[in-house]
Each structure stands twice: as structure tokens, then as C-alpha cells.
Amino acid sequence: MKAKIVHRMATAPEDTRDKLLKAAIQVFSEHGYERATVREISRVAGTNIALVKYHFGDKLELFREVVRYASDADAKLAVLTQARKENADPCEALRQIIRGALERLTARREQTGLQLRLMLKEIANPSNAWIVEIESALRPTYDQFRVVVGQILGLPMGDTKTRLCTHSIIGQVAHYVHARPILSRLWPEMQMSPAQIEMIANHIADFSLAYLQAERAKIPARSAKKVQKKSPRKRT
Amino acid sequence: MKAKIVHRMATAPEDTRDKLLKAAIQVFSEHGYERATVREISRVAGTNIALVKYHFGDKLELFREVVRYASDADAKLAVLTQARKENADPCEALRQIIRGALERLTARREQTGLQLRLMLKEIANPSNAWIVEIESALRPTYDQFRVVVGQILGLPMGDTKTRLCTHSIIGQVAHYVHARPILSRLWPEMQMSPAQIEMIANHIADFSLAYLQAERAKIPARSAKKVQKKSPRKRT
DNA sequence: TAAGACGTTAAACGCATGTTTAAGTTAAGT
DNA sequence: ACTTAACTTAAACATGCGTTTAACGTCTTA
């Protein structure tokens, strides 16, 4: 009837779903699941609110889809594998992984790292509803990281010490992301500039490698042999 | 008119404020500021909802009061000072501090540690509204902790390396609290039992001391002089 | 062209939240 | 006894949320 409503069908139908998905990644990673609202997601996507229900059912399904979508085309695993391929020395690979993760996690406006930031945000505020999706999205990265740490230690990835060290490293990196706001108050000189990010990354690498390499040296059978991954036979 | 409403004035007037405060500590530290509701706080306290407004003004002022109240009568600083007094060796003090913090932070039903848990929960989800209170509540612990780390390193508490190492340790401890739910899925054997808590604490101490002691040894001028605070000299 | 599926829209619904109100009860002061 | 202030109560209010509705436009198909 009234022609004042302008409809634009110029975009393909599937575009709306994608726009919502990308907007959801941004909003979810910025505010977390609870604080994020479907209204803001719709606003960022430039679509109607009801389309969340139409395309995804409800907010929770949209979030689940975001987690799957994010972990699919993600660079998380790529960073890890790339770092491992580029560096024969697992210590250097570790250093590169730490720097890459820290850069992505602290990058504000970048699309890169949104997925990791999203995970980190939700890890602290878990819910039984989506913890399964979070786990399956995190699992590959966690396992690959354990392999790298295990290589340095000369221990299998399932070893308790390997896991403890892995979490020690993850915890250090995550801390600078979690505590960033209060950190800038307790330590005003720390502005998280690119140069400072690199300094932090190198510190975390040095800090961690001090223990890792010392422990490797303690294991006589592996100290000079099984550091590398590509050697034919693995353990003890 | 109708006498079916039973009023109990048995409790002193100030008791209600205290009950609300204690209930608020519990609820806030369990769910965080946003998820916590004044209805649940009132229910836990056994008081009326409107009393939050009467005694504190609104939810935010109640939270601010909780942070101040928690940091006042808190054992956070006591643990630090006690650990430092009991141990002439700052390395042992560090180990004790780590274990104490981890035990408090993971204790579920204890009143002890609620304050620290509250801080940790809010650090990840900051807001300009209460970041000032959080900072002043955290500052003493942060500074004292830096002193201990600085003693081990043989560096002043303001040194960049001291700060980086302090955050490396804090990050490791905080990680096991933040990531606890997803951790139990990625590492099912980790149930956070008291024995495992102690194992983790010792690992974090060993992991951190490997770097701290190696760095102390690198500083020639202080490696044999300024390590200790009380005893005149200390070993490399 | 007619019909139906698909996509979109504005508006409203139901609910939980923080907040406020107006009345009520108790204790102390005079 | 009367007044006043402090404290408490049940109920309502205003808001923002996720969700739903009913109508409408657009495209495909027969």
C-alpha cells in the first residue's frame, strides 16, 4: 500500500545470514554472550531483529553457529601449524606461537583474533549450554600446543608435566588479555603498544623456556635426541 | 489492619546492612556483578528487596561498598605478609603465597577467598564505574607481591622485569580459576582435588622460580648482596 | 498470470531486572 | 500519650531483553 518503505533485494538471500554471523562474531567477542544483545547484532548487521529467529532460531543457536563458524575458517590452528613448519626448533616455534597469539588477542579492530578473543571471554563465564561447542573449538589448538611443549620437554603430550607447563604458558598469555583494563591502571606505563606486546611475548617465551629447557636437560635419555618431531620413533 | 504480617525487630538495625553486605559478597563473587541480582542478594540475606535502596542507594553502590568492605577485613594482604614473615627465603615465601592464593581461589564453600574471587571475576569484565574501587583493593597485594618477586630477582619492585615476572605468576594462578570449567573438559583427570591443587601450586612455583633464580644469577652486583631482605647475605 | 515459497519488516508480547512507592511497624524522645 | 525518626514491607513501576506475530514484498515456478 504505502510506498514509503524502500525494500532492497539487491543482496543475495544468503548474505543476510552471513552478515548476521559476522556481526555476531564481533559483538559476541566484544561483550560476551550474556551482555551481547540480538538488537545490537542486528543493528551492526543492518538487518531486522526477527531475522535472528528466522535464520538461526534463537540467540543461543546463533552463538553456537558463531563458535562453529569461527573455529572452521579460523587461523588459530594455522598459526600453530605454520609456526611449527617454519621452525625446526620447537623453542622458536613456541616463541612465535606466543607472539602470534598475543598480537591477535590484543588487536582491537582486527577481524583476526576475534574468534580467540571470543573463546577467552566465554571460558571465564561458562555455561553448560555451549561448553560443548567451546571445547570442540578449542581442542585442536590445545592438543597441538601440548605437542609443541612436549617436544621441548621431551615428554609425551599426555604427560602431566606437559599439561601443567602448557597451562602455565596459556595462563600467562590469557592474563594480559583478561586483566588488560586493570593492568593499565596498576602499571600505567604499559600501554600495550606493538613494541610492548613484542616485549611481553618475548618475556613469556623466556620465562617459560627457562623451566622447559631445564626440565628437558634433566631427562637423560631425551636431552639430546627426541627434541625434534620428525624423528622416526618417538618415546623413551 | 490485618495482623497476619509478622514483623521481627529482634535483630539490631545495623544487622540488616551487614547481612546484605555478606550476602552480596557471596552472590557477587559467585555470579559477577552483572549476573547477580538484587533479588537473590535479598533472598540470601533474608531481607526485603527495597532495603538495598534504603541502605545503599542502588545496586552499584552496594557493589562498591562490597569491594571496600572485602578489601578492608581481608586476609589477602595478611597471607602475603605472613608468608614473608614466616619465610626468610623469599623463594619459599613465593611458594607459600602461590599455594595459599590457589587454595583460597578454588575453595568453593569457604568465606575465605570470596573477596579474591570477586576481584578476579570483575577484572575480566571491567567497567569504568567500579574500576577505581577494584584498583585500590588490588593495589596493596600487587605491590607486596612485586616486592617478593623483586627480592628473588635482585631487582627493585618498579623494574620492568619484576613487573613482567609478577604478571607471569599471577597469570598462571588466575588461569586455573578462570578456565576451571573448560579445563575439566580438556583435562578430565584434573578434578582440582586438594592434592592436585597442591601439585599445581608447586608446579607454578617451580616453573616460575626456574626463570627467577636464573635471572638473579645473571646480575653480578646483586646476586650475592641484595637478594635477602633481612639476612645480610644469601646464596646465588 | 496465479500461486506459493522465501525473505523481510514494524510492532507487539512476555518476562526478568533494577528501582520506586506508599503504607506499615517498631523504638526512642518529649 | 503523642510525635518523630528509623526501619521494613508488599506491590507496583519503568526498562531492556529475547522472542513472536502478522502483514508485506520479492522471486520462482507452473
Side-chain angles (χ1 to χ4, degrees):
Chain A
M1 299 298 185
K2 301 177 182 179
K4 61 180 174 183
I5 301 173
V6 180
H7 290 270
R8 24 188 110 73
M9 214 47 169
T11 62
E14 272 301 301
D15 271 10
T16 300
R17 204 186 129 96
D18 259 29
K19 282 195 292 185
L20 273 173
L21 221 39
K22 284 171 182 169
I25 293 182
Q26 178 182 332
V27 177
F28 277 138
S29 67
E30 189 168 353
H31 302 106
Y33 178 81
E34 304 261 350
R35 293 199 195 186
T37 69
V38 295
R39 279 176 172 80
E40 184 179 1
I41 293 174
S42 303
R43 189 178 51 74
V44 171
T47 64
N48 191 276
I49 318 171
L51 293 182
V52 170
K53 174 197 170 69
Y54 182 82
H55 285 288
F56 300 95
D58 57 3
K59 183 187 179 185
L60 181 57
E61 268 316 310
L62 169 59
F63 180 79
R64 288 213 181 100
E65 196 62 31
V66 161
V67 175
R68 298 192 207 102
Y69 178 88
S71 61
D72 275 353
D74 201 357
K76 293 200 307 291
L77 210 138
V79 167
L80 258 167
T81 49
Q82 188 186 350
R84 293 179 62 190
K85 286 179 182 173
E86 288 180 359
N87 299 278
D89 180 12
C91 297
E92 260 324 296
L94 177 68
R95 186 177 300 270
Q96 191 169 328
I97 290 167
I98 291 171
R99 193 179 56 198
L102 207 57
E103 282 172 354
R104 281 158 189 273
L105 284 167
T106 53
R108 271 289 174 222
R109 316 188 192 296
E110 286 298 322
Q111 178 77 7
T112 327
L114 283 186
Q115 303 88 342
L116 256 181
R117 295 242 312 275
L118 174 61
M119 300 296 153
L120 218 55
K121 260 240 176 315
E122 296 308 320
I123 283 176
N125 292 21
S127 162
N128 295 330
W130 60 76
I131 197 168
V132 179
E133 279 80 8
I134 299 277
E135 179 192 353
S136 52
L138 244 41
R139 171 71 73 177
T141 304
Y142 177 63
D143 289 346
Q144 277 224 30
F145 198 32
R146 277 194 293 150
V147 170
V148 175
V149 174
Q151 283 175 5
I152 302 176
L153 277 169
L155 292 172
M157 63 181 284
D159 190 276
T160 298
K161 183 167 284 187
T162 305
R163 301 189 95 126
L164 287 170
C165 290
T166 302
H167 289 294
S168 281
I169 301 170
I170 294 175
Q172 290 177 75
V173 175
H175 178 246
Y176 280 93
V177 185
H178 275 141
R180 184 172 178 178
I182 188 69
L183 201 70
S184 65
R185 294 197 133 254
L186 292 174
W187 189 4
E189 296 84 6
M190 175 53 60
Q191 297 299 326
M192 292 286 190
S193 67
Q196 287 178 322
I197 296 286
E198 190 174 346
M199 179 190 70
I200 294 173
N202 279 322
H203 161 77
I204 294 176
D206 295 337
F207 191 92
S208 306
L209 284 170
Y211 179 84
L212 295 177
Q213 294 182 321
E215 283 300 309
R216 179 182 55 178
K218 285 185 186 172
I219 307 174
R222 312 187 190 190
S223 58
K225 288 177 65 175
K226 302 300 171 127
V227 179
Q228 205 74 359
K229 180 197 172 189
K230 297 179 181 175
S231 57
R233 47 211 180 307
K234 290 286 274 285
R235 27 161 289 91
T236 308
Chain B
M1 300 298 187
K2 301 177 181 179
K4 61 179 173 182
I5 302 173
V6 180
H7 291 271
R8 24 189 107 72
M9 211 50 166
T11 62
E14 272 301 300
D15 271 9
T16 300
R17 204 185 128 98
D18 259 28
K19 281 195 293 185
L20 273 174
L21 222 41
K22 284 171 184 169
I25 293 182
Q26 178 182 329
V27 176
F28 277 137
S29 67
E30 190 168 353
H31 302 106
Y33 178 81
E34 304 262 351
R35 293 198 195 186
T37 69
V38 295
R39 279 174 172 81
E40 183 178 2
I41 293 174
S42 304
R43 189 178 52 75
V44 171
T47 64
N48 190 277
I49 318 172
L51 293 182
V52 169
K53 174 196 170 70
Y54 181 81
H55 286 287
F56 300 96
D58 57 3
K59 182 187 179 184
L60 181 56
E61 268 316 309
L62 169 58
F63 181 79
R64 287 212 183 101
E65 197 63 30
V66 161
V67 174
R68 298 192 206 102
Y69 178 89
S71 60
D72 275 354
D74 202 356
K76 292 200 308 292
L77 210 138
V79 166
L80 259 166
T81 50
Q82 188 186 348
R84 293 179 61 191
K85 285 180 183 172
E86 289 181 358
N87 299 277
D89 179 13
C91 297
E92 259 326 294
L94 176 68
R95 186 178 300 271
Q96 190 168 330
I97 290 167
I98 291 172
R99 192 179 56 197
L102 208 56
E103 282 172 353
R104 280 159 189 273
L105 284 167
T106 53
R108 273 285 173 225
R109 318 191 190 294
E110 286 299 321
Q111 179 78 7
T112 327
L114 284 187
Q115 304 88 341
L116 256 181
R117 294 243 311 276
L118 174 61
M119 299 297 154
L120 218 54
K121 260 238 174 321
E122 296 308 319
I123 283 175
N125 293 19
S127 164
N128 294 331
W130 59 76
I131 197 167
V132 179
E133 279 81 7
I134 298 277
E135 178 192 354
S136 52
L138 245 39
R139 171 72 72 179
T141 303
Y142 177 64
D143 288 346
Q144 276 225 32
F145 197 33
R146 276 194 293 151
V147 171
V148 175
V149 174
Q151 283 176 4
I152 302 176
L153 277 170
L155 292 172
M157 63 181 282
D159 190 275
T160 298
K161 182 166 284 187
T162 305
R163 300 189 97 126
L164 287 170
C165 291
T166 302
H167 289 294
S168 282
I169 301 170
I170 294 175
Q172 291 178 75
V173 175
H175 178 247
Y176 280 94
V177 185
H178 276 140
R180 184 172 177 178
I182 188 68
L183 201 70
S184 65
R185 295 196 133 254
L186 292 175
W187 188 3
E189 295 83 6
M190 175 53 61
Q191 297 300 327
M192 292 286 191
S193 66
Q196 287 178 322
I197 295 285
E198 190 174 346
M199 179 189 70
I200 293 173
N202 279 323
H203 161 78
I204 294 176
D206 294 337
F207 191 91
S208 306
L209 285 171
Y211 179 84
L212 295 177
Q213 294 183 319
E215 284 300 307
R216 177 181 59 179
K218 285 184 187 174
I219 306 174
R222 309 189 189 194
S223 59
K225 289 176 66 177
K226 301 291 181 76
V227 177
Q228 200 76 357
K229 185 189 173 188
K230 293 177 181 177
S231 67
R233 60 202 172 282
K234 187 68 185 355
R235 32 163 260 94
T236 302

